[in-house]
């Protein structure tokens, strides 16, 4: 197992990932030039963990523009975490990423089970949005592109989105630059047995049917997900020192506590 990475090492990894993404986009017609007057927003005091970590969030829930950004390794339950937050805070809106990947057609699926995880678009449209500097949180995964429209973040007063771990600092700068608060939330990471079950469920849903050997691909993805979990735990302490981060359980516990306090008045 590799040694725990410090903040400097993580930032180097994040910069390297952004450069790689930028190079790929430039080769395919994207434009990564920042507009005149752009500047990095200086980060203020961070919120990392309880006790009291959510006091500022509670104020934001009622009075301020607030974005809750869910992040975590593959198969950790990011989509479920977003759903829990939306059910707990029904006044929050979902912010979906654009994606160039094709919709997944699930054999025998009902109308309510269609693939609506993203706002699906063509690469041409995605590249146009890049040229217009409309996107943030840009990620390439298995030759498909993902990104969030900055306008979607700007027009929503209180919203929930899913982000990639390599884009946390960039997303923080973008959101705070719009005058909004942001809190990053991560799921409680599942056991390896539960992780295997989740990936098996994806495999059973025929997500890997287009591979020559779906079972071999499933094993590769499971092992990759296990490595991602170990890497996630190595990066998390450094991230908590630099960004406002809470686990889902911390967020829900303190939200419930604050709601109980409010009921007394």
């Amino acid at each position: 197992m590799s040694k725990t990475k410090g903040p400097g090492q993580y930032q180097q990894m994040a910069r390297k990932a952004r450069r790689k993404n930028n190079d790929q986009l430039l080769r395919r017609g994207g434009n990564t030039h920042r507009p005149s007057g752009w500047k990095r927003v200086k980060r203020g005091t961070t919120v990392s963990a309880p006790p009291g970590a959510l006091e500022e969030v509670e104020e934001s829930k009622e009075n301020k523009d607030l974005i809750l950004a869910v992040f975590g390794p593959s198969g950790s339950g990011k989509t479920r975490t977003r759903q829990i937050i939306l059910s707990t805070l029904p006044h929050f809106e979902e912010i979906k990423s654009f994606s160039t990947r094709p919709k997944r057609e699930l054999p025998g699926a009902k109308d309510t089970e269609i693939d609506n995880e993203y706002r699906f678009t063509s690469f041409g449209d995605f590249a146009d949005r890049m040229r217009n500097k409309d996107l943030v949180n840009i990620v390439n995964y298995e030759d498909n592109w993902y990104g969030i429209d900055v306008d979607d973040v700007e027009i929503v007063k209180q919203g929930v989105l899913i982000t990639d771990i390599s884009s946390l600092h960039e997303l923080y700068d973008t959101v705070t630059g719009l005058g909004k608060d942001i809190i990053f939330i991560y799921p409680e990471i599942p056991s390896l047995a539960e992780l295997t079950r989740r990936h098996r469920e994806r495999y059973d849903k025929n997500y890997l049917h287009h591979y020559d050997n779906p079972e071999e691909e499933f094993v590769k993805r499971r092992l990759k997900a296990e490595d991602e979990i170990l890497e996630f735990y190595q990066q998390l302490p450094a991230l908590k020192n630099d960004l406002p981060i809470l686990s889902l359980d911390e967020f829900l516990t303190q939200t419930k506590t604050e709601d109980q306090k409010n009921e007394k008045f």
Side-chain angles (χ1 to χ4, degrees):
M1 184 183 300
S2 59
K3 295 182 179 179
T4 301
K5 296 178 174 60
Q9 290 173 290
Y10 171 74
Q11 291 167 359
Q12 290 177 7
M13 292 172 59
R15 286 195 296 269
K16 183 177 180 182
R18 286 196 293 270
R19 285 197 298 269
K20 181 179 178 181
N21 280 348
N22 288 344
D23 290 343
Q24 291 176 317
L25 284 164
L26 287 170
R27 285 197 297 270
R28 300 187 67 175
N31 189 336
T32 61
H33 176 70
R34 292 187 174 116
S36 176
W38 185 94
K39 63 179 181 179
R40 183 174 296 278
V41 179
K42 183 178 180 180
R43 299 186 181 90
T45 302
T46 61
V47 181
S48 59
L54 206 60
E55 292 173 358
E56 189 173 321
V57 181
E58 287 301 323
E59 180 184 355
S60 296
K61 285 195 299 183
E62 301 299 330
N63 304 315
K64 298 181 180 179
D65 290 1
L66 174 65
I67 301 298
L68 301 176
V70 179
F71 73 104
S74 175
S76 62
K78 295 186 290 295
T79 300
R80 177 176 175 273
T81 296
R82 179 180 60 189
Q83 293 170 343
I84 291 173
I85 292 172
L86 289 171
S87 63
T88 304
L89 304 172
H91 54 288
F92 273 65
E93 299 181 51
E94 179 182 356
I95 302 173
K96 291 185 178 181
S97 297
F98 280 91
S99 175
T100 62
R101 80 157 170 80
K103 278 192 174 184
R104 290 165 175 158
E105 297 182 3
L106 308 181
K110 301 177 182 178
D111 291 341
T112 56
E113 297 174 337
I114 60 174
D115 186 3
N116 61 357
E117 181 73 14
Y118 301 100
R119 299 173 65 181
F120 296 98
T121 188
S122 65
F123 176 77
D125 178 69
F126 193 94
D128 287 342
R129 293 176 185 276
M130 274 294 302
R131 279 191 288 269
N132 294 331
K133 309 174 183 68
D134 292 337
L135 300 178
V136 69
N137 195 39
I138 298 168
V139 177
N140 182 275
Y141 180 72
E142 293 189 347
D143 294 328
N144 296 308
W145 289 95
Y146 301 81
I148 294 174
D149 195 310
V150 177
D151 285 345
D152 291 343
V153 178
E154 185 172 15
I155 64 177
V156 170
K157 183 174 180 61
Q158 296 173 323
V160 183
L161 57 83
I162 293 178
T163 182
D164 184 78
I165 193 171
S166 66
S167 302
L168 301 189
H169 292 84
E170 178 192 10
L171 184 60
Y172 181 95
D173 288 349
T174 299
V175 173
T176 55
L178 294 171
K180 300 176 184 286
D181 291 340
I182 182 169
I183 299 294
F184 296 94
I185 299 175
Y186 63 93
E188 296 300 327
I189 305 303
S191 65
L192 294 183
E194 173 62 15
L195 183 68
T196 298
R197 186 197 68 78
R198 292 180 184 180
H199 280 267
R200 175 64 64 185
E201 183 180 42
R202 291 184 178 184
Y203 168 65
D204 289 344
K205 285 183 176 180
N206 213 23
Y207 278 17
L208 307 178
H209 69 281
H210 56 285
Y211 287 91
D212 294 334
N213 190 331
E215 181 65 28
E216 179 182 338
E217 182 64 23
F218 163 76
V219 173
K220 286 168 56 179
R221 291 186 175 216
R222 187 198 68 196
L223 294 175
K224 180 180 178 181
E226 292 174 4
D227 290 339
E228 285 183 1
I229 287 180
L230 294 176
E231 186 74 11
F232 177 83
Y233 275 123
Q234 291 175 345
Q235 294 179 6
L236 193 58
L239 290 171
K240 281 190 171 184
N241 286 334
D242 200 28
L243 294 168
I245 293 176
L246 293 168
S247 72
L248 176 62
D249 281 354
E250 292 167 354
F251 178 81
L252 295 177
T253 298
Q254 294 197 31
T255 299
K256 182 178 180 180
T257 300
E258 291 298 322
D259 288 342
Q260 290 173 343
K261 288 180 181 179
N262 293 334
E263 288 176 359
K264 295 180 181 179
F265 295 97

